[in-house]
Amino acid sequence: IQVNPFNSSSCLKNISDLFTVDQVKEWIDMIALHKINIFHWHLTEDQGWRIEIKQYPLLTKVGSVREETQVGKDRTEGNGDKTPYGGYYTQKQIKDIVAYAQERYINIIPEFEMPGHELAAISAYPWLSCREQQVQPRAVWGVEPIVMCPGKETTFKFLEDIVDELVQIFPSKYFHIGGDESPRDEWKVCPLCQKKADELGYKDE
């Protein structure tokens, strides 16, 4: 079961949101009823960052809110609902949900995507990308060409810091790092990525 939890009781006012802590617990109750013991929780995406990270407060202050939500199946700009959408879970709320799940013999596996599907994080910290351009969380679905820059040591420090906080919250044996749908176009023209690739002896991106 995968849930995209675009909400929180700590969500900013006047912003559309979904899935309160109690609603997530209802999901857990439902999967327990069906004797499912794994809950895969998708907490980061191009469209929003949904978990508090204490070392990087802008992830939730900036990256948790997109300007609108795409309507229908047309994956084009200008087809949104014009309503800001956002929210996130505090670490305290996450721990409460994890404990609730454990009481029902359910293991929560968190998903933290990298290096693609991280436009929300890049909107908070533009230095995570190759071009360091100011962007916003993505309002439409699909594959985003702007991804994290592997040519910078600061990118890896960021990833390590995030994982260090998340593993303290989730006792799961498994941890999902995504890794899918990460276009390499930016890496092909990024001097830092090309330098790193040469240092490591890689033939291509």
Side-chain angles (χ1 to χ4, degrees), residues 55-175:
Q55 294 178 79
Y56 297 96
L58 293 182
L59 289 172
T60 47
K61 184 176 181 180
V62 175
S64 69
V65 182
R66 62 174 179 266
E67 60 183 10
E68 63 178 356
T69 300
Q70 177 181 332
V71 177
K73 297 180 179 180
D74 181 12
R75 296 186 175 187
T76 59
E77 300 286 346
N79 194 33
D81 62 6
K82 312 302 181 189
T83 302
Y85 188 86
Y88 64 92
Y89 298 101
T90 65
Q91 291 192 10
K92 182 179 179 180
Q93 289 173 321
I94 294 284
K95 290 177 181 178
D96 176 47
I97 293 170
V98 168
Y100 187 86
Q102 286 181 315
E103 290 171 359
R104 287 150 184 81
Y105 304 99
I106 293 171
N107 182 33
I108 296 182
I109 298 177
E111 179 175 352
F112 163 38
E113 299 220 46
M114 61 175 93
H117 288 295
E118 279 298 354
L119 198 66
I122 293 169
S123 72
Y125 298 99
W127 49 263
L128 286 168
S129 71
C130 294
R131 299 190 183 188
E132 302 191 7
Q133 295 175 330
Q134 187 62 58
V135 295
Q136 294 181 332
R138 189 176 169 94
V140 297
W141 313 131
V143 179
E144 172 60 46
I146 300 175
V147 300
M148 290 181 170
C149 179
K152 303 173 187 175
E153 289 302 315
T154 50
T155 300
F156 292 96
K157 176 65 165 58
F158 172 84
L159 296 174
E160 290 169 0
D161 290 342
I162 300 296
V163 172
D164 284 346
E165 288 199 30
L166 293 184
V167 296
Q168 298 301 315
I169 303 169
F170 296 96
S172 170
K173 177 181 178 181
Y174 298 102
F175 189 96

